[in-house]
Amino acid sequence: MSFVEACCNTPPTKAQWHSKGQNIPLSRKVDGEERPRLAYSTGPKDSKRGLIAIYDIFGGHPTTYQFFDRVAESHGGFQLLAPDFFKNGGLPEEYIGDTPKLMEWARANGDFKKNHVDEMIRIAVEDLRKAGCTSFSVFGQCWGGLMAVLASSEEGNPFLAAGGVHPSMYSIETTKNTKAPMIILASKDEEDMIPIIENLKQKNFPIESFHKRFDNMHHGWTGGRGDWTQSDQYEAGLEAVDLLGAYFVKVSEVSESKL
C-alpha cells in the first residue's frame, strides 16, 4: 500500500503562522536515544481533554501548527501534544515526484514500531495525564492519520476516538482493528471512505464514526500542502477544525456520562 498520488507529487507550501504553542521535551526518552524528543504543546492548560496530534510527512509546518492551534482552542479547548516523530526532520522536498524514494524514506523514518511512534504517543499521553487530562483522543494528517488509527488499535490504548484528516493508506484492512470510533475528513484526492465507515458502524461504538469529504480541497490542505491565505482553504480548514473539536468533545461527554 502506498500514499495517495497527490501526496507523492505535491510539494509543501511556503505558508506563515505565528505559533501559539511551544516546544517542550517529553518527560521520557525513547529507547536508544540520548535525550527526550520535543513535542509541540498548545491549548488551555486547565482543560481536562487531551489530544495527541500527528503531523504529515513534512513534519512541523506553519499550516500544520495553525491547524493544531485552532483545534486546541475549539469547543472549550483541549491540551494538545504533537511529538516530533521524525528524528531527522520531515520528508526532503527533492523526493516529491519520486514515489519509490518517498516510500523508501517513509519506511525508514515513519514505521509505527521501528521508529518509536507508538512509544512517543504513550509518553505524550502520560504527560497529558500528569497535566490533568482525564480523556484522550488522537488524530493525524496524511501519514499521521494512519499512525492515529494504529495507536487506537493497540490493546489497552486510552483513546476515545481516532481521527484522520486527508489520510493516507486508509482501508477496511488498516482500520478494522481500531478500538475507538473514527472521524475521517477526506479531500478530493483520497479513496472512497464510505466502505470504511460502514464497516466501523458494525463495531457498535457508543458514538458512530463520522465522515465528510471536502470535494473542493486537495490532499494536505490542513498540513504541509496548505495555504490558508487562500479563502477556500481557510474556510474548509476552519470547518475541519470545528468538526474535529465537536467530535472529540462528544465522545468525551459520552464517556463521562458513564462514569
Side-chain angles (χ1 to χ4, degrees), residues 46-80:
D46 59 348
S47 175
K48 300 296 185 184
R49 295 168 178 152
L51 290 180
I52 304 298
I54 309 173
Y55 49 42
D56 64 23
I57 58 173
F58 293 116
H61 181 276
T63 305
T64 300
Y65 288 135
Q66 178 174 181
F67 189 64
F68 290 174
D69 285 341
R70 291 185 182 277
V71 171
E73 293 174 342
S74 70
H75 292 272
F78 305 84
Q79 289 196 60
L80 181 151

Side-chain angles (χ1 to χ4, degrees), residues 17-213:
W17 173 251
H18 181 68
S19 299
K20 298 183 178 182
Q22 59 181 333
N23 287 310
I24 61 173
L26 293 172
S27 61
R28 293 193 290 112
K29 62 184 181 180
V30 299
D31 289 344
E33 296 191 5
E34 294 182 355
R35 60 182 62 88
R37 297 280 186 97
L38 295 177
Y40 183 70
S41 173
T42 187
K45 302 307 180 187
D46 59 348
S47 175
K48 300 296 185 184
R49 295 168 178 152
L51 290 180
I52 304 298
I54 309 173
Y55 49 42
D56 64 23
I57 58 173
F58 293 116
H61 181 276
T63 305
T64 300
Y65 288 135
Q66 178 174 181
F67 189 64
F68 290 174
D69 285 341
R70 291 185 182 277
V71 171
E73 293 174 342
S74 70
H75 292 272
F78 305 84
Q79 289 196 60
L80 181 151
L81 273 182
D84 191 6
F85 295 101
F86 298 144
K87 185 177 181 181
N88 299 310
L91 178 77
E93 196 169 335
E94 60 265 26
Y95 289 2
I96 293 296
D98 189 333
T99 300
K101 278 191 175 181
L102 188 152
M103 293 305 300
E104 182 181 358
W105 180 91
R107 285 190 292 269
N109 295 276
D111 183 88
F112 185 66
K113 295 287 187 181
K114 183 178 69 176
N115 297 113
H116 307 291
V117 174
D118 60 335
E119 190 176 356
M120 281 182 275
I121 290 172
R122 287 193 291 271
I123 295 170
V125 169
E126 290 174 12
D127 291 355
L128 287 173
R129 200 183 300 276
K130 292 173 186 174
C133 293
T134 56
S135 66
F136 307 92
S137 291
V138 59
F139 73 96
Q141 307 157 312
C142 181
W143 163 86
L146 178 63
M147 298 299 105
V149 75
L150 292 176
S152 73
S153 299
E154 291 203 301
E155 291 295 334
N157 80 81
F159 298 117
L160 299 177
V165 187
H166 41 79
S168 276
M169 295 179 282
Y170 269 19
S171 66
I172 289 176
E173 183 66 24
T174 60
T175 59
K176 69 180 183 181
N177 293 322
T178 181
K179 294 169 177 57
M182 295 187 65
I183 174 170
I184 304 176
L185 305 179
S187 76
K188 63 182 177 62
D189 295 314
E190 288 89 51
E191 296 289 336
D192 184 8
M193 300 291 166
I194 293 177
I196 295 172
I197 294 295
E198 292 303 315
N199 189 62
L200 292 173
K201 287 180 180 179
Q202 298 176 26
K203 289 179 172 285
N204 295 317
F205 292 125
I207 298 294
E208 276 198 354
S209 294
F210 176 84
H211 163 255
K212 176 168 182 173
R213 180 174 294 275

Side-chain angles (χ1 to χ4, degrees), residues 201-235:
K201 287 180 180 179
Q202 298 176 26
K203 289 179 172 285
N204 295 317
F205 292 125
I207 298 294
E208 276 198 354
S209 294
F210 176 84
H211 163 255
K212 176 168 182 173
R213 180 174 294 275
F214 289 77
D215 289 315
N216 63 331
M217 287 295 105
H218 60 276
H219 177 81
W221 100 92
T222 73
R225 299 171 177 87
D227 178 4
W228 285 20
T229 64
Q230 303 296 315
S231 61
D232 57 341
Q233 292 186 47
Y234 176 72
E235 290 168 6

